[in-house]
Amino acid sequence: RLIQAGNSHGHATEEFCPQCLAELEEAVALYRGDFLEGFTLRDSVAFDDWQFFEAETLRQELAAALDRLVRGHLALGSPQAALPHARRRLALDPLHEPAHRQLMALYAQIGQRSAALRQYRECARILDEELGLTPDAETVALYEQIRAGVPVGEAMLWSMPGPPGPLARARTGAQAAAHNLPAQTTPFIGRRQEMAEVRARLEDPGCRLLTLLGPGGVGKTRLALRAAEELAQ
């Protein structure tokens, strides 16, 4: 209700007022953990799937509200107030590179140059460890600009991270294959051994069907979706 109220004031979508920001602030404060986090029903695949997609929908709503709060505080001339929301937005998806850039730009804007440079190094570390990639050219250019002491332009501050996409950089510049998989708003961390085994089996021409078995709530659906995304082509 608060998100809807904060997004439906009597002004244009790209305009902001203290009232709509206050409602969004209250809304994001109510989100203290993922939907039914830590709860599951034994041997109920249907429940696992339902819970997963409900949680993802709510996380996307939270991400959109945080994006709007960052933009709103910038519009009202309060980059310092935008900072905690940008940090929380990045925490929802640490692999989302545009969110790293926005945080770097915010740090630079409020005079925390060393924090901006540290954020770049953290971005590079995460991309390397999780995806085996390096930051893209836009991120490197922003880093060099901040390191040289050149002021960050308004356009970079207002650039929103956009929809979460942990695998966006994994495409390595190639066009992503079309598929109907749901978007994942959380990073996939660990499970390297299981992913390697799943990949090896799926790449075996003799494998026509692969079933993942395990207790409810251990992440079978998430593992299957990750494997499907990586092997979509």
Side-chain angles (χ1 to χ4, degrees):
R1 179 183 59 79
L2 286 165
I3 288 177
Q4 184 178 9
N7 291 336
S8 59
H9 280 193
H11 51 65
T13 305
E14 293 306 311
E15 294 179 359
F16 302 91
C17 67
Q19 182 183 345
C20 65
L21 292 187
E23 286 165 341
L24 289 172
E25 293 271 10
E26 187 178 353
V28 299
L30 289 172
Y31 194 106
R32 296 185 293 272
D34 286 340
F35 178 67
L36 293 180
E37 189 173 28
F39 180 81
T40 188
L41 295 179
R42 182 177 297 175
D43 299 326
S44 177
V45 175
F47 176 83
D48 289 346
D49 289 345
W50 172 78
Q51 179 186 15
F52 174 79
F53 291 115
E54 287 290 321
E56 290 297 293
T57 298
L58 289 168
R59 285 175 66 88
Q60 289 179 20
E61 289 183 6
L62 173 64
L66 292 170
D67 284 345
R68 188 160 170 77
L69 278 168
V70 172
R71 185 181 287 273
H73 284 302
L74 287 174
L76 297 181
S78 303
Q80 188 74 50
L83 192 60
H85 300 301
R87 286 179 181 144
R88 190 176 179 190
R89 174 64 179 79
L90 177 60
L92 285 176
D93 184 3
L95 296 179
H96 197 47
E97 198 168 342
H100 283 278
R101 284 198 296 270
Q102 187 184 67
L103 193 51
M104 289 167 61
L106 272 173
Y107 278 133
Q109 176 74 7
I110 63 176
Q112 296 187 21
R113 180 168 166 269
S114 60
L117 300 178
R118 279 198 306 272
Q119 191 61 48
Y120 170 81
R121 291 192 289 271
E122 176 65 9
C123 173
R125 182 191 67 79
I126 274 185
L127 290 175
D128 178 56
E129 290 182 359
E130 298 299 329
L131 300 176
L133 299 172
T134 57
D136 65 24
E138 188 176 355
T139 308
V140 174
L142 177 60
Y143 166 74
E144 295 293 349
Q145 179 181 343
I146 295 171
R147 189 172 68 166
V150 178
V152 175
E154 289 293 319
M156 179 58 69
L157 278 171
W158 275 77
S159 175
M160 287 293 101
L167 288 177
R169 293 283 294 125
R171 295 168 181 170
T172 61
Q175 236 5 25
H179 58 68
N180 63 350
L181 298 170
Q184 306 304 304
T185 62
T186 56
F188 186 91
I189 299 174
R191 295 293 183 91
R192 295 178 184 273
Q193 181 177 342
E194 290 91 338
M195 278 298 303
E197 185 175 356
V198 168
R199 177 184 288 274
R201 289 178 181 269
L202 289 178
E203 291 178 344
D204 179 359
C207 177
R208 305 303 299 274
L209 173 67
L210 181 62
T211 304
L212 304 181
L213 300 176
V218 298
K220 299 183 296 296
T221 300
R222 188 71 172 89
L223 179 62
L225 285 170
R226 172 68 173 208
E229 287 174 330
E230 289 198 354
L231 298 170
Q233 296 180 353

